[in-house]
Amino acid sequence: MYRYFLKKLFDTIIAFLGIIVLLIPMVVIAIAIKVDSKGPAIFRQERLGKGKKKFTIYKFRTMVNNAYQMGGIANRSDDARITKVGAFLRRTSLDELPQLFNIVKGDMAIIGPRPILDWEFEEYANHLEYARRYDVLPGLFCTVDIDLRASATREEQFTMDIEYIDSMSLWNDIKYCLQIVKSVVSGKNVYREEVAEQEEE
């Protein structure tokens, strides 16, 4: 019952309430982004959702306009494309707040496998077990965010996604939300390359 009906209902209600509570802070963030650099406040990008169906994900823009076309994903905090406001948003995960609208639209859940770009799954296209991550709605947060975050390999991330799907429950979602909040506040493991460098030292 929770997996097939209540989860989506609860997520939609919580996201809707979150938008109401956080609307003014989100407007302030949008204004700060516009003042800090040229370009739209909201970054839009196609990601793979449930059933590998593409959808448009919303995030606050944290890099200069058209940054992805200039050099792909940012894996370091000193990436010159990251704006001053963007650096703060990334460190605190506030750049993800617009995805509350994705949840209300029915594209995403609060907890679930993080939506990735289509090319990021090409290497695993024939891996039937990993493909199960697309049996559910992608999440604003995933279990990797509890501790590993950017330090996780794709294999670790996908394995944890499947483990989450197999153990999905209301209690686990509540528990994971509390653990993820603690992890986000700590601000650790945000950038993949910097995590790798720390491990080598």
Side-chain angles (χ1 to χ4, degrees):
M1 178 66 75
Y2 178 72
R3 180 191 296 262
Y4 297 106
F5 176 69
L6 292 180
K7 177 176 172 62
K8 187 171 183 179
L9 176 63
F10 289 164
D11 285 351
T12 301
I13 293 172
I14 292 170
F16 183 74
L17 294 175
I19 290 171
I20 293 174
V21 172
L22 297 170
L23 185 58
I24 293 178
M26 285 195 285
V27 170
V28 171
I29 290 172
I31 293 172
I33 293 171
K34 295 288 289 183
V35 170
D36 185 42
S37 61
K38 294 180 179 180
I42 300 296
F43 172 73
R44 295 172 174 82
Q45 190 177 59
E46 280 195 343
R47 300 284 179 95
L48 292 181
K50 184 177 180 180
K52 292 186 180 179
K53 181 180 178 181
K54 291 184 179 181
F55 73 100
T56 300
I57 194 171
Y58 307 128
K59 302 180 70 172
F60 280 123
R61 181 173 58 82
T62 59
M63 296 196 287
V64 296
N65 203 28
N66 298 318
Y68 185 76
Q69 289 78 1
M70 297 177 190
I73 298 169
N75 288 316
R76 300 183 58 87
S77 60
D78 59 1
D79 190 312
R81 297 171 299 162
I82 300 176
T83 64
K84 293 179 181 178
V85 171
F88 171 76
L89 296 178
R90 281 171 170 261
R91 188 170 62 252
T92 57
S93 291
L94 290 174
D95 59 318
E96 311 286 1
L97 286 180
Q99 286 160 53
L100 292 172
F101 291 95
N102 282 118
I103 296 172
V104 171
K105 285 178 60 181
D107 295 328
M108 294 178 64
I110 293 176
I111 303 290
R114 279 297 293 167
I116 58 177
L117 296 163
D118 53 1
W119 61 264
E120 292 182 286
F121 196 73
E122 288 179 354
E123 181 181 348
Y124 309 94
N126 296 320
H127 198 300
L128 298 181
E129 187 68 4
Y130 288 166
R132 291 177 56 212
R133 73 191 305 274
Y134 296 106
D135 290 345
V136 300
L137 289 173
L140 171 63
F141 296 110
C142 64
T143 49
V144 166
D145 293 320
I146 293 173
D147 184 45
L148 298 178
R149 301 184 79 182
S151 68
T153 64
R154 282 297 179 200
E155 290 78 10
E156 287 174 326
Q157 178 185 358
F158 295 160
T159 298
M160 292 180 71
D161 288 339
I162 304 309
E163 290 173 350
Y164 167 75
I165 292 170
D166 289 340
S167 63
M168 189 185 296
S169 69
L170 174 60
W171 167 244
N172 279 341
D173 275 2
I174 293 173
K175 179 178 66 175
Y176 295 147
C177 281
L178 294 175
Q179 292 173 328
I180 288 167
V181 168
K182 181 180 178 181
S183 176
V184 169
V185 169
S186 73
K188 67 177 183 178
N189 296 342
V190 176
Y191 296 95
R192 186 178 301 274
E193 287 187 7
E194 293 180 356
V195 170
E197 290 173 0
Q198 291 170 5
E199 292 176 347
E200 292 175 359
E201 292 178 355

